[in-house]
């Protein structure tokens, strides 16, 4: 049995009660039904992901767009020499919510030491304040949408990923909490 994935996009123009109106008809048919098979209930409804957020971080749609070379956000550790000549280590904490990342990431760059994903956590460690990404949207990603690399105890929840190259989300970290995310349209190279 084949599973067919259909996707449609539109802009909400009106909301009245439980009814939304879009700016155009959907390209595909989206049925809703509940089936019972051998005593098990199967809910066959379409998932809906909202991409609009109050804050947008957007890569430019110029010649870099055609080359799949957008912006990126990197949260990583670093060190520097202080005034006394001693090395000081900085371990960042990032708490990101309600952000739309659009036209981001850089195709072809997959090295863990230089992740060119839309959003990457790299070598961040727990410090009492935990990092998280909640309620964000990622669209038109030119690489993995999110990478959590050697950055432990990061929460990734209630996000929407729409169109990414490779995968929507990767982690090489411990105790990464990933829950209630919607990932649609992952493109393989």
């Amino acid at each position: 049995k084949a599973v067919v994935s259909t996707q449609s996009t539109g802009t909400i123009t009106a909301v009245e009660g439980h009814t939304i109106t879009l700016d155009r008809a959907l390209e595909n048919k989206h049925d809703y039904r509940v089936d019972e098979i051998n005593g098990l209930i199967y809910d066959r409804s379409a998932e809906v992901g909202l991409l609009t957020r109050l804050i947008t971080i957007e890569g430019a749609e110029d010649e870099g767009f055609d080359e799949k070379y957008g912006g990126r956000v990197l949260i990583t550790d670093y060190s520097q020499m202080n005034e006394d000549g001693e090395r000081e280590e900085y371990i960042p904490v990032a708490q990101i919510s309600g952000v739309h990342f659009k036209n981001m990431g850089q195709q072809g760059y997959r090295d863990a030491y230089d992740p060119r994903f839309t959003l990457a956590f790299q070598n961040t460690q727990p410090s009492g304040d935990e990092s998280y990404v909640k309620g964000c949207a990622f669209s038109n990603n030119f690489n993995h949408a999110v990478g959590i690399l050697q950055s432990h105890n990061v929460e990734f929840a209630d996000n929407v990923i729409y169109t990414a190259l490779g995968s929507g989300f990767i982690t090489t970290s411990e105790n990464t909490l990933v829950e209630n995310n919607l990932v649609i349209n992952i493109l393989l190279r």
Side-chain angles (χ1 to χ4, degrees):
K1 190 173 187 180
V3 176
V4 177
S5 174
T6 58
Q7 58 186 346
S8 301
T9 58
T11 300
I12 297 172
T13 58
V15 178
E16 187 173 325
H18 294 287
T19 302
I20 61 171
T21 303
L22 301 177
D23 63 339
R24 62 180 160 267
L26 298 177
E27 297 97 26
N28 302 296
K29 183 177 179 181
H30 299 274
D31 289 328
Y32 169 77
R33 69 176 198 243
V34 176
D35 293 326
E36 182 176 347
I37 302 172
N38 296 329
L40 298 174
I41 303 296
Y42 294 92
D43 182 345
R44 300 181 185 203
S45 58
E47 297 287 345
V48 176
L50 183 64
L51 297 176
T52 305
R53 301 293 190 269
L54 291 177
I55 300 168
T56 299
I57 299 174
E58 183 173 4
E61 289 191 30
D62 55 13
E63 67 265 358
F65 185 80
D66 293 332
E67 295 172 14
K68 297 182 176 34
Y69 196 86
R72 67 178 176 152
V73 175
L74 178 62
I75 295 98
T76 188
D77 64 340
Y78 69 96
S79 64
Q80 67 182 23
M81 300 300 274
N82 66 18
E83 294 173 358
D84 298 327
E86 299 169 341
R87 182 163 298 284
E88 293 182 342
E89 298 282 333
Y90 296 92
I91 306 296
V93 172
Q95 297 178 334
I96 303 168
S97 63
V99 178
H100 180 195
F101 298 87
K102 182 178 179 184
N103 304 333
M104 301 283 284
Q106 299 168 1
Q107 183 180 16
Y109 295 90
R110 295 295 176 108
D111 297 321
Y113 68 87
D114 185 20
R116 305 285 181 98
F117 314 149
T118 295
L119 174 63
F121 288 80
Q122 183 181 40
N123 301 321
T124 65
Q125 303 298 322
S127 62
D129 292 322
E130 304 301 336
S131 293
Y132 61 76
V133 180
K134 297 179 183 177
C136 292
F138 300 83
S139 64
N140 300 328
N141 302 279
F142 304 133
N143 204 324
H144 303 300
V146 177
I148 299 178
L149 312 171
Q150 299 304 313
S151 298
H152 309 301
N153 299 340
V154 176
E155 182 179 357
F156 187 75
D158 303 314
N159 301 291
V160 176
I161 297 173
Y162 177 72
T163 307
L165 294 178
S167 67
F169 175 88
I170 63 168
T171 185
T172 60
S173 304
E174 297 174 2
N175 300 320
T176 302
L177 176 64
V178 180
E179 65 180 2
N180 202 34
N181 298 289
L182 177 62
V183 180
I184 305 168
N185 198 33
I186 301 304
L187 306 172
L188 302 176
R189 291 182 237 273

